Every structure is written in C-alpha cells, then in structure tokens.
Amino acid sequence: MESLTNAIQAVPLNHYIILSALIFSIGVMGVLLRRNAIVIFMSVELMLNSVNLLLTAFSVYRGDAAGQVFVFFIMALAAAEVAVGLAIIVMIYRNTNSIDINVLNRLKW
Amino acid sequence: MPNLKAGQKYIENINMITFYFIAFLSIFFSILVISAKNPVHSILYLILTFFTFTIHYILLNAQFLAIVNFIVYMGAILVLFLYTLMLINLNKESEPVKPFMVKMAAVFGGGILAVALVASLKITGTSDPVVLKDPGLGLVKNLGKVLFNEFLLPFEVSSVLLLSAMVGAVLLATKDTKETKAIN
C-alpha cells in the first residue's frame, strides 16, 4: 500500500487539468454533435466525470479532504439527475415516438 | 524526494506510465462514446470510460471515491441507461443524423473550447507535481469524519434531494392515461 501512496508524485498537476479539459471538451462536442437525447445525456455524464476527476486531483494536490466530499455530493446529484432525466426521456418517447431532440422545438416561439 | 530508493523510483516510473496510458484510454473511449452510431455501443464505451476513471481515482489513492464511482456510476447509472434504451426500443433507421456542416461546426466549437482551456492553463503556469502528503486522505475513515462534521447539513439535504428525485422519476415515468390524452 505504501508504494501505491508514494506512487503518483511524479505526475504534474497540469496533466490532470489538461486531461480533464480534453474530456470536458469531448463532452461538449457530444452535446453539439448528436441529436439522440440519450447520447446527449451520456455526454453530460462525461462532463460531470471530468470535473469529478479534476476536483479529486486538486484535493490530493492541496491535501484537503473537502474536495473529495464535494465529489461525493456531485455523484449523489448525478444519480438523482439521471433518474429524473431518463424518466423525462421515456415520457417524451411515449408522447412523440422519437427521442430526436429536434422534435422538441415547440418552446422556440 | 532526494532519498528515494531505486525500487521506489522504479514503481514511481511504472505508475507514471500507467497514468499516461490510462489517460490515453480515457480520451480514446470518450471519443468513441460520442462517435459510435449505435447508442448501445455508446453506453458500453461509457462503461469503459468510467472504468478508466476508477483507475485514476485508485492512482490518486482516493479509495472511497474509486469504490463509489464503481458502484454508483457503473452499477446504477449505466444500468439505468441500458434499461431506458431497452424500453425505448431504438431502430437503426430511427437514429437521427445531423448534416455534415453542423457536425463540422460542433467539432470546431469543441476544439476551440479545448484550446481555450489549455491556453488559459498555460498562463497560470502551475506545473507542480501532485504529491500525496497525507496517505490517509482518501480513505473512508478520514472522509467520514469530514462528511459528518463539516458537511452534515448538506449530507442531510442530499437525502431530501434523492427522495424528491425518486418521487419525481416515478411520477414522470408512470403512464397516466388521462393526462396524456389531455396533452395530446
């Protein structure tokens, strides 16, 4: 265990930030690219996870446990959000027989 | 650390290589998530992406978060996704496709965001290595103490949030024949 705790010393904080930024951008790209509501939802999950990783890296960097507690709360929030969001998607599918988000343009004007 | 032993140095290098390899895998699988044509494949790639995130947490010695990530994301959330996909019964031909120009614009916009984030990171110039000062930082014992002392109120409020989300999900997903007729 001791070897594992000493292990990560060499990776710079920058590389964690770059990794999280790239995965966050990929999530944004997914939201813009796809029209399938479920895939858009998965891209949002990807963004949430990249932020979680970044918070954990900062928490280890600063030696402060609060960051990891925040990640725990974000995970609880994500679980609630997924439950409600997927229920909404199921309801939309039942009403419109499609999960294409372009069907849902009645709120436009 | 100046007085590192040779064995420790070796393990350190191995772990550095592991980090970069796993980081590459995370990016690779997350690109596959957004580019897979079939939504079921997207979900399976998302599971692999979350696997790599769990490995990142283990490398950061955040053992509690690794376990929670494993159970909550891969156990609960992705099963929920798969069940919803099963309920929705998507066909290949019903998969909506955007025009090519819109796709190019989307990739361009995401790329611009990535460039902006990395460039703003470059200005701040923080490149210190991530050193784990307290080995017990991410363990359940330490996190439980913080959670139930400083963050007791948010913890209780999150239970109310989960309850309301559960009630809301059941309310939304149940088939209310009268109301759906009224909407249509």
Side-chain angles (χ1 to χ4, degrees), chain B residues 5-6 19 21 129 134 140:
Chain B
K5 289 186 202 95
F19 170 77
F21 180 62
D134 175 15
V140 181

Side-chain angles (χ1 to χ4, degrees), chain A residues 1 5-6 9-11 13-16 25 32-36 45 49 52 56 60-61 75 93-94, chain B residues 8 12 16 19-20 34 36 50 57 61 63 68 73 88 95 97-98 114 121 126 128-130 133 173:
Chain A
M1 208 63 240
T5 57
N6 284 334
Q9 286 170 353
V11 179
L13 183 64
N14 257 356
H15 294 183
Y16 275 104
S25 310
L32 295 174
L33 268 175
R34 305 300 295 265
R35 274 167 49 187
N36 188 332
E45 290 300 313
N49 257 288
N52 279 351
T56 313
V60 172
Y61 177 69
M75 280 179 182
Y93 179 73
R94 206 178 281 143
Chain B
Q8 258 180 325
E12 203 175 273
M16 241 181 119
F19 170 77
Y20 291 114
I34 64 165
F50 287 165
Y57 290 139
N61 204 34
Q63 296 173 9
V68 168
Y73 270 104
I88 279 176
E95 171 72 17
V97 185
K98 277 192 175 174
L121 170 67
T126 54
D128 305 340
V130 178
K133 287 153 197 147

Side-chain angles (χ1 to χ4, degrees), chain A:
Chain A
M1 208 63 240
E2 203 55 40
S3 62
L4 194 64
T5 57
N6 284 334
I8 205 67
Q9 286 170 353
V11 179
L13 183 64
N14 257 356
H15 294 183
Y16 275 104
I17 301 176
I18 290 173
L19 172 67
S20 296
L22 284 179
I23 290 178
F24 190 88
S25 310
I26 291 169
V28 171
M29 248 182 247
V31 170
L32 295 174
L33 268 175
R34 305 300 295 265
R35 274 167 49 187
N36 188 332
I38 288 184
V39 181
I40 289 178
F41 223 64
M42 286 195 279
S43 306
V44 173
E45 290 300 313
L46 216 55
M47 287 193 259
L48 272 174
N49 257 288
S50 77
V51 173
N52 279 351
L53 179 63
L54 192 56
L55 268 175
T56 313
F58 274 124
S59 158
V60 172
Y61 177 69
R62 304 284 305 171
D64 189 354
Q68 302 199 12
V69 176
F70 286 167
V71 174
F72 174 69
F73 283 125
I74 292 174
M75 280 179 182
L77 196 82
E81 173 233 330
V82 163
V84 175
L86 287 178
I88 290 174
I89 289 177
V90 168
M91 197 189 65
I92 288 170
Y93 179 73
R94 206 178 281 143
N95 284 333
T96 65
N97 265 324
S98 156
I99 51 169
D100 185 353
I101 51 158
N102 278 27
V103 175
L104 305 170
N105 55 5
R106 281 177 217 164
L107 270 181
K108 239 167 40 180
W109 54 73

